[in-house]
Amino acid sequence: MDMSQYKALFLSESREYLRSIAEQVVALEQSPAERGAIDALFRGAHSLKGMAASMEYGDVVVVAHSMEDLMARVRDGALPFGAGVADLLLEGVDLIDALLKDVEEERPSSVPTDGYPARLAAYVPPPEKKAKKTDEAPEVSSPAAEPAPAVESAQAAESVPTPSAETERAKESAPELGGTVRVKTELLDHLINLTGELVTNKQRLLSIGRDLASPALNDAVSETSKLLRALHDEVMKVRLMPFEAISDRFQRSVRAVAKKSGKEIHFELTGREIGLDRGVLEQLVDPLNHILRNAVDHGIEDGEERERAGKPARGLVKLSVSRDRDRIHITVRDDGRGMEPQAMIDAAVRKGLITPEEGELLSPRQALMLSCIPGFSTAKEVTDISGRGVGMDAVNAAIAKLGGTLGIESEPGQGTVITLKLPLTIAIIHALLVQCGPIKTAIPVNAVQRTVELSRRQIETVGKRQMFQLDDESIPLLSLNRVLGLPLGRFPDGILPLFVTEAKGRRVGMVVDRLLGQHELFVKRLGRPLDGVTGLAGGATLGDGEIVTILDISELL
Amino acid sequence: MIAERLLVFSVGRELFALNLTEVCEVMEPQQSYPFAGAPPYYMGLINFHGNLTALLDFAQYLGAGSRPLPGKLLVIDTKLAHLALKVDAVGSIIDAQGITGATRSDDPLIEALLETPQGHLRLVRLETLLSSLEEDLRAAAPKSAPGGN
């Protein structure tokens, strides 16, 4: 029987099982006594094995079978669920993931699985460490050592916030097929493209309707607009995927960094059900991973230092996702050592990134944003855990590319909060249209703090720079024409139109020839050879058919 | 290896050819919209069935000088690129069997010099053209400049 037609379905379902297993493993590690979750994990491995057997993928069967056996020992009480078991199961998840990749690319299995079943079969937990006598409740997660099963005591139940809600959700997240249809992502992309084209066409019809002054046509276009808005909203909903589609990686990433750095971390995740556009979600994995790894590696102090500061030995890292109308807010909060604005300024001056005079002008918020300048790192030593500490500039650039913003708040000794504000979708954006010489171009409004019409009299020259005052802040002026290599504008009436944006933690005024107002644009990629050009984020068609490019200001500056 | 069918076109009194599978449509010239940060041989962007497509003046790119002809637009297969070439004229489609001789060219952009009943053809190597355009765009990318107006 030709099974190839079922391959895509097998791969997609298997990956859902793997994601669910990984989530349950991490949740169980924090709450090892959750009987329901243990059963769900066993069932997950069993289902995966069954599906692989029906498709005759022997290697996947062997690995899943070993995982199932290991979980059977846990379920039957022969083995406590601890860090060692979690490690082996997560290794199995990685192995199967690699095997699935081979299946997908129709190549022979390149992953050796020989030793894995034997190691699982022979696994015995390390001897338990004698519990330290303390008034504190027993830790429910210990990255460095095998934790004992949770102690059933009223005191523990009161004093330790066990993440039972997390486990509940994890055990309920087994894939379900009832009432759903699997749709290829290309089809969803095509749907949003067609909807975007209709939005553009609606603008054309509106324009024609105005020219013809036909009430009947205007009514029809107005009705079409409403239907189109409803269609757009529905198509966008179809494209939304819950945050949990990527969240298991973060749980695992935090766990791995905590283990490697010998720190005790309690990781909390809220808002896993919040939906984001698939395109946004895919681009969030690396930036969020980097922020979380930084929080664990550099933010959270080691246990002794924390206790000296009067904090619990176990650090808290909290990832929260919420929705505010058409924006998604993602925050990463830690209760670590925090960041000291003056230390950031001193480091930036020392590295020659800013002058001491520039440093004096920075507000505390701007000082914290210095961490997003390429080459900036205040980490005392480079570690192989969170990289070289040079990634925050890449994180900031990636978020800006998605049309989002990154903000940092920090209280020395209390911790740091990094907030990402993102659009629900990257397909349709609001942008400021500007004229620069012969070129009309668009800047996403998230990159525009405000627009100003500046009189020449308000411009001061400081050294070689031209500056102006805004909200008691001295702001440098740049010409967007010059940045784009276009002829400089002339302003015979002495009024310079500009928009204020932020570059490298500082506000700058970008002078243009004319401000043309805000427009709703359907963003399109440019394809070869234009994609990848510095400063170009895409293009869009205006209502009259005119094509404009959309600039990525952070890349240009 | 030479493709089974080639599309013949002319630029600056020279005959060129592209693998027919690399071209998805031949269009009449249409309005294009300029964009910043591109070398002068880019005429702008056009809308090709909803795809924003860069329009290249192929004669200017080759340094052959534009001829006062309305010309035609060769739109490259959208799976390969979002690119259209403005050429002087589009000729016929020829079969590989019609090629009577082929020699290698020193120009990396030209895959082969072909002898055909239509005359000498220069077979364009599309991937080399795209890579070269990308390289030129990187070199011409806008750069930040201090100072005001």
Side-chain angles (χ1 to χ4, degrees):
Chain A
M1 184 180 168
D2 177 19
M3 303 295 278
S4 59
Q5 56 181 318
Y6 302 114
K7 195 174 85 174
L9 187 64
F10 163 75
L11 288 170
S12 130
E13 287 189 2
S14 298
R15 283 175 175 141
E16 277 185 34
Y17 274 113
L18 284 183
R19 201 185 72 223
S20 168
I21 288 171
E23 276 185 13
Q24 284 160 346
V25 167
V26 177
L28 256 176
E29 208 184 356
Q30 302 212 359
S31 186
E34 283 289 337
R35 176 78 205 181
I38 291 171
D39 289 342
L41 200 46
F42 174 82
R43 283 198 304 274
H46 179 77
S47 305
L48 197 53
K49 183 183 77 174
M51 286 191 330
S54 67
M55 296 291 292
E56 298 176 0
Y57 296 129
D59 287 341
V60 178
V61 174
V62 169
V63 176
H65 181 71
S66 312
M67 293 165 72
E68 184 189 354
D69 279 352
L70 186 73
M71 281 314 297
R73 288 166 64 196
V74 174
R75 189 189 57 183
D76 299 342
L79 189 66
F81 190 97
V85 173
D87 281 345
L88 286 169
L89 289 174
L90 291 175
E91 188 185 337
V93 167
D94 288 341
L95 268 176
I96 294 179
D97 194 40
L99 290 169
L100 294 181
K101 215 161 272 170
D102 290 336
V103 169
E104 187 170 32
E105 289 171 17
E106 294 179 348
R107 61 186 179 213
S109 169
S110 56
V111 191
T113 55
D114 306 349
Y116 182 72
R119 277 193 289 126
L120 263 65
Y123 178 73
V124 282
E128 279 181 32
K129 285 184 182 171
K130 204 173 176 184
K132 197 168 60 174
K133 196 174 180 185
T134 169
D135 289 340
E136 278 185 43
E139 294 293 346
V140 292
S141 75
S142 168
E146 176 88 65
V151 179
E152 299 283 340
S153 86
Q155 190 188 359
E158 274 169 26
S159 56
V160 180
T162 53
S164 56
E166 287 291 305
T167 319
E168 275 302 309
R169 272 192 293 275
K171 73 185 175 193
E172 285 166 6
S173 62
E176 285 180 19
L177 290 176
T180 60
V181 176
R182 283 173 195 275
V183 178
K184 283 195 170 180
T185 49
E186 291 89 351
L187 184 60
L188 295 181
D189 288 345
H190 192 51
L191 266 181
I192 190 68
N193 266 333
L194 285 174
T195 312
E197 286 301 311
L198 285 171
V199 169
T200 304
N201 229 37
K202 175 198 78 179
Q203 303 285 3
R204 283 179 65 188
L205 287 173
L206 280 172
S207 169
I208 294 167
R210 273 194 299 271
D211 292 348
L212 294 177
S214 157
L217 178 60
N218 285 341
D219 284 351
V221 174
S222 170
E223 191 57 32
T224 305
S225 289
K226 284 182 204 155
L227 292 170
L228 205 49
R229 170 55 60 186
L231 174 66
H232 173 243
D233 289 349
E234 292 304 312
V235 172
M236 288 318 302
K237 270 190 221 159
V238 173
R239 276 175 60 94
L240 294 184
M241 285 174 73
F243 185 74
E244 68 183 352
I246 58 169
S247 62
D248 65 311
R249 306 166 207 217
F250 304 136
Q251 289 175 318
R252 292 190 60 183
S253 175
V254 167
R255 180 184 183 276
V257 179
K259 193 166 186 179
K260 202 158 186 178
S261 58
K263 292 175 183 173
E264 293 181 5
I265 304 289
H266 175 59
F267 178 64
E268 276 183 31
L269 169 63
T270 58
R272 62 170 69 217
E273 71 288 351
I274 302 288
L276 277 91
D277 186 276
R278 193 171 62 81
V280 176
L281 210 53
E282 282 168 359
Q283 304 298 318
L284 271 178
V285 175
D286 287 345
L288 273 177
N289 240 333
H290 192 90
I291 294 171
L292 286 166
R293 292 166 79 89
N294 260 351
V296 177
D297 195 26
H298 299 309
I300 302 286
E301 316 89 329
D302 62 41
E304 284 179 15
E305 191 181 336
R306 289 179 64 84
E307 282 177 339
R308 277 200 303 276
K311 297 179 181 178
R314 186 166 58 153
L316 174 70
V317 175
K318 193 172 176 180
L319 173 60
S320 314
V321 186
S322 61
R323 182 171 166 181
D324 178 16
R325 286 185 295 261
D326 60 348
R327 306 285 289 176
I328 297 291
H329 292 193
I330 300 179
T331 56
V332 176
R333 183 184 299 270
D334 70 65
D335 69 345
R337 55 174 65 93
M339 292 152 79
E340 173 64 62
Q342 192 53 49
M344 308 290 282
I345 293 171
D346 294 345
V349 171
R350 219 169 32 247
K351 288 167 196 294
L353 297 169
I354 56 170
T355 64
E357 295 73 29
E358 285 175 322
E360 280 172 24
L361 294 173
L362 296 180
S363 65
R365 189 187 72 87
Q366 290 170 328
L368 294 178
M369 288 304 289
L370 287 170
S371 59
C372 295
I373 295 181
F376 184 91
S377 171
T378 55
K380 287 181 188 143
E381 58 187 56
V382 169
T383 76
D384 63 344
I385 296 173
S386 59
R388 304 188 62 81
V390 296
M392 278 306 284
D393 63 308
V395 170
N396 195 32
I399 299 304
K401 207 160 203 157
L402 288 172
T405 57
L406 181 152
I408 305 174
E409 290 168 67
S410 192
E411 189 69 41
Q414 301 299 310
T416 300
V417 183
I418 294 185
T419 304
L420 312 180
K421 292 182 182 174
L422 295 151
L424 200 58
T425 166
I426 47 173
I428 294 176
I429 62 163
H430 284 90
L432 173 69
L433 220 56
V434 299
Q435 185 83 40
C436 292
I439 307 279
K440 203 180 269 187
T441 192
I443 296 104
V445 290
N446 69 288
V448 177
Q449 294 185 352
R450 60 194 285 184
T451 55
V452 177
E453 295 205 315
L454 192 71
S455 160
R456 278 198 188 279
R457 289 194 308 275
Q458 293 171 270
I459 300 173
E460 306 156 5
T461 303
V462 182
K464 287 182 180 173
R465 288 189 171 179
Q466 291 186 306
M467 317 278 282
F468 74 106
Q469 292 292 321
L470 187 70
D471 306 331
D472 297 327
E473 191 182 338
S474 207
I475 295 179
L477 279 173
L478 293 179
S479 159
L480 185 57
N481 294 45
R482 181 171 287 177
V483 171
L484 296 175
L486 299 166
L488 294 183
R490 297 179 186 281
F491 306 97
D493 56 0
I495 301 293
L496 280 69
L498 62 92
F499 64 90
V500 179
T501 187
E502 195 168 278
K504 298 174 186 171
R506 289 209 62 183
R507 294 208 285 176
V508 289
M510 300 295 303
V511 179
V512 297
D513 290 355
R514 266 194 304 151
L515 299 166
L516 302 170
Q518 203 184 116
H519 287 249
E520 190 181 33
L521 299 179
F522 173 52
V523 183
K524 291 182 172 179
R525 59 178 285 261
L526 294 168
R528 289 184 81 184
L530 293 185
D531 58 1
V533 171
T534 307
L536 273 191
T541 309
L542 304 180
D544 60 1
E546 189 171 355
I547 298 171
V548 294
T549 50
I550 299 165
L551 299 182
D552 180 340
I553 290 289
S554 64
E555 248 185 31
L556 281 175
L557 302 177
Chain B
M1 203 175 95
I2 295 166
E4 279 181 22
R5 296 204 296 170
L6 305 174
L7 179 68
V8 180
F9 59 95
S10 68
V11 175
R13 299 180 199 284
E14 298 271 8
L15 286 179
F16 291 83
L18 267 169
N19 178 343
L20 187 64
T21 60
E22 294 170 342
V23 179
C24 67
E25 199 163 312
V26 177
M27 294 170 72
E28 294 301 320
Q30 58 167 283
Q31 186 170 2
S32 62
Y33 299 92
F35 59 96
Y41 45 76
Y42 281 96
M43 300 171 74
L45 288 164
I46 59 169
N47 187 345
F48 174 68
H49 301 325
N51 288 318
L52 303 188
T53 303
L55 178 59
L56 186 76
D57 183 335
F58 201 42
Q60 202 179 343
Y61 174 77
L62 295 171
S66 283
R67 298 176 71 197
L69 297 169
K72 295 277 184 191
L73 307 187
L74 294 186
V75 184
I76 302 301
D77 185 346
T78 52
K79 289 191 206 76
L80 303 172
H82 286 187
L83 180 71
L85 309 181
K86 180 184 175 278
V87 300
D88 291 343
V90 174
S92 53
I93 293 169
I94 60 164
D95 284 331
Q97 288 97 324
I99 298 168
T100 52
T103 51
R104 292 175 65 176
S105 164
D106 294 335
D107 183 348
L109 183 65
I110 304 302
E111 192 171 337
L113 301 168
L114 307 178
E115 301 290 334
T116 72
Q118 282 81 0
H120 303 288
L121 303 183
R122 294 159 187 266
L123 179 60
V124 176
R125 194 179 270 133
L126 183 65
E127 181 52 41
T128 304
L129 172 65
L130 289 171
S131 303
S132 162
L133 290 172
E134 285 169 336
E135 206 169 298
D136 291 351
L137 281 163
R138 275 194 292 276
K143 288 174 185 64
S144 171
N149 283 257

